[in-house]
Amino acid sequence: MAELGRVVVRDPDSLLPGGFWAAVAVWVERPQVANKRLCGVRLEARRSASLPRVEHSGPRPSSGPEREEQAPAGCGPKEGPGHGRRFPEGGPGTRPSAGPEHGPQESQGRRQQGEDQREAAKAPLLSRVPGQPGKAGAGEGDFPASDLDSLWDDFSRSLASGNREMLAFFTRSGAESQLEAQHGLDVILRTVIPKTNTHCPLNAPRREIVVQDVLSGTVTFLPLEEDNEGNLKVKTSNVYQIQLSRSEEECSAYSYFSYFQRFISVLIFCPERWHSDGIVYPKPTWLGEELLARLARWCVESRQGGFKSTLSLISIMKYSRARQALKEKYKDMVKVWPEVTDPEKFVYEDVALAAYLLILWEEERAERGETARQSFVDLGCGNGLLVHILSSEGHPGRGIDVRRRKVWDVYGPETRLEESAIIPNDETLFPDVDWLIGNHSDELTPWIPVIAARSSYNCRFFVLPCCFFDFVGKYQRRQSQKTQYRGYLDFITEVGSACGFHVEEDCLRIPSTKRLSKTRGIYSPEQESSPENVEILSEPAKVRRVLFSRAGSLSLAEVAGELDRETLRRLKRECGGLQTLLRNSSQVFQVLDGRVRIRDWREERPRKEKEPEAKRRLFSETFKTRICWFFAHHPDGCVLPSDRCPFAHGPGELRPASSKKKRQPL
């Protein structure tokens, strides 16, 4: 056996050993985070187990060089290129044998180790199933637990029959003592799914047994292969292990802070026979460098900023196949893309999104026992490619957008795309549609759950939020402890729940920083909520309501007096305070000599033709790039006609804002 690498983990915040098991959970459940050539894994089964009792028929092997003579052919510890380095004397992190010669220091070290082990045992080994130690994550085609029992029993018998080297590899010791062999293990069966790629042969999924030993601080990966008779057995040549260890001698010799240092190691049982396919089984150098560095970093990262579980609502294997098939089918769209936008980003993003929806809907039909394909309407469909793909794959639907795109002419008449403004009201309902889609639908995003709930009890929704809007304008951040993106996702969840839906969240695999979706909205009519009465007011809306209810103008103190303390605290926390809010909402509010009033645009002076060119250019660049708040929300509408108002009277007048050109370097 060989050690491929060892990294010191500094732990000033005392996150270990719990942080180690959190990092292990990422590699066990989501290895694609580190290995980009993998699509993901499927957790098949899980059980608790223990190592077998071994009847000793002779002297125990020592931990010194004699072990090399006892190792199986080709599996001795050998140092060389790509095989890592040999163990130091006694192996990495070897536990000293109990005996009186160690005295009080040994007892203290064991007590410390026991406390660490108990702390690690509290950490969830599989974050996807917290609180359920006997169950693996849900997956398509779950492997029967009885088959995992059979595989583990066969492997245990091979250990008991004399495979002392493998048993020592598990126990991190050269001795198979009864006390070390009998503590509990957590055994998981997983299927590793590689990415499909047309440039190389299709790699079949590989099964592995993962053995987690919390008390010893090890996780061992046992790849499985079929023998000539089709039976699964452990492939000993590709067995490897990740260890968390600590040297008692160093802790007593160095400073106080040495107690907060651990070592993470990656070891291979049979380095001479390791077979690397470059995908599921990387090269040993990758394990000892890239993977080890990532694990060390994940160990001490804040748990609040953990990894999002991608594709948690669908089968990863089905998604991988569907996405590759759609990429091949629609790759020519990149060549004929007539828009000025990046064709590769938009085409492949919509291909990935279409693959997700197709698998989601396929599994929904199987769950409901239906055969008819779901219908849909894409609100704010943009370039319409998602509508084109879903329609071409057999789902009846259409897309609606306020502006026609050039690429619409490429799709043909079979793809139904409509140029129309979408105004949420009693006429904008879709009672015969199964799903409403909002893919980067901007201002429409919070309205889509409301429209779906009002359309019918059977209508569901899928939204992929991008820009942050509430019902009255820009979404205002509510909690400083959350990012604006996280807060907006929670806001959309609140809207869906208020409309009676059970909202689920998933993280997509698309080339975008905004890839968290709200989906699988199931309307629950027994919930006491009415979508017609949904009202989620932001803090700016409360200030506007105060000014509407009082004639003329109010001083800043009077406005503050009309708001309760909790609202003022939220304004300070989320908007920077009342004055900052008023200053940032100049379209609606006007502050003059310390008094606040609703802005009257009739009093605004018309722009002079002799104004500086810079001001006139700035005005022309922003003209009609935002919706007029008065036109959309004031009871009397906007006091200016459309041709004089600098803001758009409805989505039909909106024009894209011009991006600022970067100044060329001198």
Side-chain angles (χ1 to χ4, degrees):
M1 60 188 78
E3 181 178 279
L4 300 178
R6 173 183 287 201
V7 174
V8 175
V9 181
R10 304 186 185 278
D11 184 27
D13 297 327
S14 302
L15 296 176
L16 297 177
F20 170 75
W21 291 109
V24 166
V26 175
W27 180 240
V28 171
E29 297 181 346
R30 300 181 289 278
Q32 71 275 7
V33 174
N35 186 351
K36 301 302 182 182
R37 297 183 178 181
L38 297 179
C39 184
V41 299
R42 187 175 65 234
L43 303 180
E44 307 280 12
R46 181 175 179 176
R47 59 162 289 179
S48 298
S50 61
L51 291 175
R53 295 181 180 272
V54 179
E55 297 296 335
H56 298 290
S57 57
R60 298 184 306 185
S62 68
S63 59
E66 292 81 7
R67 183 182 304 176
E68 186 171 354
E69 300 174 0
Q70 298 174 355
C75 293
K78 178 180 178 181
E79 189 173 1
H83 298 305
R85 58 180 181 272
R86 184 176 173 179
F87 277 122
E89 180 74 10
T94 302
R95 303 179 217 160
S97 60
E101 65 271 16
H102 294 282
Q105 290 185 351
E106 171 63 19
S107 301
Q108 182 179 1
R110 284 196 175 275
R111 284 197 299 271
Q112 177 69 29
Q113 188 179 32
E115 292 176 3
D116 291 347
Q117 292 167 351
R118 285 192 293 273
E119 180 185 352
K122 297 177 183 178
L125 297 183
L126 282 178
S127 59
R128 194 172 297 179
V129 281
Q132 300 183 33
K135 181 180 179 182
E140 163 236 355
D142 288 344
F143 201 78
S146 59
D147 291 342
L148 174 59
D149 296 341
S150 175
L151 288 170
W152 179 252
D153 291 343
D154 292 343
F155 180 68
S156 298
R157 281 194 293 270
S158 71
L159 295 179
S161 63
N163 194 347
R164 294 181 176 179
E165 288 72 28
M166 180 64 75
L167 188 57
F169 191 69
F170 270 94
T171 58
R172 298 178 57 182
S173 172
E176 304 91 350
S177 67
Q178 299 294 333
L179 292 176
E180 290 174 342
Q182 289 305 307
H183 60 256
L185 306 173
D186 193 76
V187 182
I188 303 165
L189 179 67
R190 70 173 186 169
T191 298
V192 183
I193 306 170
K195 282 185 177 178
T196 54
N197 195 329
T198 56
H199 301 292
C200 63
L202 179 64
N203 290 277
R206 307 289 182 88
R207 283 197 169 101
E208 286 182 343
I209 294 178
V210 183
V211 183
Q212 300 183 119
D213 188 343
V214 177
L215 296 181
S216 294
T218 64
V219 54
T220 307
F221 297 83
L222 307 173
L224 301 175
E225 63 178 353
E226 290 187 0
D227 57 17
N228 296 331
E229 300 178 355
N231 299 319
L232 289 175
K233 65 177 184 179
V234 174
K235 183 180 181 180
T236 57
S237 61
N238 279 31
V239 174
Y240 69 99
Q241 185 180 87
I242 303 171
Q243 291 186 358
L244 175 68
S245 56
R246 175 171 58 89
S247 172
E248 299 288 346
E249 288 77 10
E250 290 192 31
C251 285
S252 60
Y254 291 106
S255 66
Y256 168 80
F257 292 100
S258 297
Y259 281 100
F260 300 101
Q261 294 180 4
R262 303 290 199 281
F263 298 94
I264 297 181
S265 308
V266 176
L267 304 96
I268 286 183
F269 177 67
C270 229
E272 290 80 6
R273 296 169 53 196
W274 178 271
H275 171 69
S276 174
D277 61 6
I279 300 177
V280 177
Y281 304 118
K283 294 181 179 180
T285 52
W286 187 90
L287 292 174
E289 296 175 4
E290 294 291 332
L291 177 61
L292 189 58
R294 288 174 180 264
L295 290 171
R297 186 175 72 251
W298 296 342
C299 282
V300 292
E301 283 183 343
S302 173
R303 298 184 187 180
Q304 294 180 352
F307 295 93
K308 295 292 180 184
S309 178
T310 60
L311 308 181
S312 60
L313 300 180
I314 63 173
S315 164
I316 297 177
M317 188 176 298
K318 290 181 180 179
Y319 169 82
S320 178
R321 293 170 180 168
R323 181 177 182 178
Q324 184 60 36
L326 293 179
K327 284 179 67 175
E328 285 297 307
K329 187 174 181 179
Y330 298 99
K331 64 182 181 181
D332 291 338
M333 287 297 305
V334 176
K335 303 176 183 178
V336 298
W337 193 255
E339 305 290 341
V340 295
T341 53
D342 182 9
E344 290 193 357
K345 177 189 183 301
F346 283 90
V347 170
Y348 293 131
E349 179 176 330
D350 283 351
V351 162
L353 184 53
Y356 183 91
L357 288 173
L358 289 174
I359 300 303
L360 181 71
W361 293 345
E362 176 187 332
E363 295 181 350
E364 182 188 62
R365 293 196 302 272
E367 181 181 345
R368 295 185 168 202
E370 300 175 352
T371 56
R373 296 182 180 243
Q374 295 89 334
S375 58
F376 70 93
V377 173
D378 188 351
L379 301 177
C381 63
N383 57 51
L385 180 57
L386 180 62
V387 178
H388 174 64
I389 297 175
L390 295 177
S391 300
S392 301
E393 298 303 313
H395 286 271
R398 57 193 171 108
I400 306 174
D401 199 275
V402 70
R403 182 170 62 89
R404 184 180 181 85
R405 307 297 201 275
K406 297 177 183 177
V407 73
W408 287 12
D409 298 327
V410 177
Y411 303 138
E414 296 81 8
T415 302
R416 296 177 56 195
L417 298 171
E418 303 174 8
E419 182 181 8
S420 175
I422 304 169
I423 301 176
N425 53 35
D426 292 340
E427 299 179 359
T428 313
L429 300 178
F430 307 91
D432 299 326
V433 173
D434 296 318
W435 283 80
L436 297 184
I437 299 174
N439 177 21
H440 301 317
S441 47
D442 297 342
E443 293 93 341
L444 277 175
T445 299
W447 288 103
I448 289 178
V450 180
I451 297 174
R454 298 189 64 197
S455 294
S456 73
Y457 287 117
N458 294 321
C459 188
R460 286 86 72 194
F461 72 91
F462 173 94
V463 292
L464 184 62
C466 178
C467 301
F468 310 135
F469 290 92
D470 56 22
F471 293 106
V472 295
K474 281 286 188 180
Y475 172 78
Q476 300 293 330
R477 188 174 177 182
R478 298 180 176 183
Q479 296 185 18
S480 58
Q481 295 84 359
K482 298 180 181 179
T483 65
Q484 187 177 21
Y485 187 40
R486 179 71 264 169
Y488 187 67
L489 291 172
D490 293 343
F491 166 72
I492 297 300
T493 301
E494 292 176 13
V495 174
S497 300
C499 292
F501 288 100
H502 170 65
V503 184
E504 294 183 275
E505 180 179 305
D506 204 356
C507 185
L508 309 185
R509 294 183 184 174
I510 57 177
S512 173
T513 57
K514 304 294 189 299
R515 55 198 184 104
L516 287 170
S517 65
K518 297 293 181 180
T519 185
R520 205 183 278 266
I522 308 301
Y523 188 73
S524 303
E526 67 273 8
Q527 296 186 16
E528 295 182 1
S529 61
S530 174
E532 290 85 356
N533 297 325
V534 172
E535 182 183 18
I536 301 180
L537 291 175
S538 63
E539 304 311 324
K542 292 184 179 180
V543 178
R544 293 170 192 142
R545 188 169 59 183
V546 168
L547 293 175
F548 276 141
S549 63
R550 301 281 295 273
S553 63
L554 298 176
S555 67
L556 288 172
E558 290 173 324
V559 175
E562 294 287 340
L563 303 174
D564 57 77
R565 291 185 178 180
E566 176 60 26
T567 299
L568 291 174
R569 280 196 293 267
R570 292 181 61 185
L571 284 173
K572 183 65 176 178
R573 183 174 65 249
E574 301 165 14
C575 308
L578 178 60
Q579 294 188 57
T580 304
L581 169 69
L582 297 172
R583 184 168 56 250
N584 293 338
S585 305
S586 58
Q587 181 190 163
V588 183
F589 303 118
Q590 184 180 43
V591 182
L592 187 63
D593 297 330
R595 299 191 68 82
V596 187
R597 68 169 186 168
I598 298 293
R599 182 179 293 276
D600 188 350
W601 284 90
R602 292 172 298 185
E603 300 176 359
E604 298 296 318
R605 292 181 304 169
R607 298 200 161 264
K608 299 179 180 179
E609 295 183 358
K610 295 184 179 181
E611 279 187 340
E613 181 183 355
K615 286 188 177 181
R616 285 189 278 117
R617 183 171 63 249
L618 179 63
F619 176 77
S620 63
E621 290 176 352
T622 59
F623 188 75
K624 300 291 186 183
T625 58
R626 289 186 294 166
I627 290 289
C628 176
W629 184 88
F630 294 92
F631 176 82
H633 303 289
H634 196 283
D636 299 328
C638 182
V639 295
L640 296 179
S642 174
D643 58 337
R644 288 183 53 198
C645 181
F647 303 97
H649 284 196
E653 294 186 4
L654 274 177
R655 67 183 188 89
S658 59
S659 58
K660 296 182 179 180
K661 297 182 179 179
K662 294 184 178 180
R663 182 176 297 177
Q664 296 294 332
L666 298 177

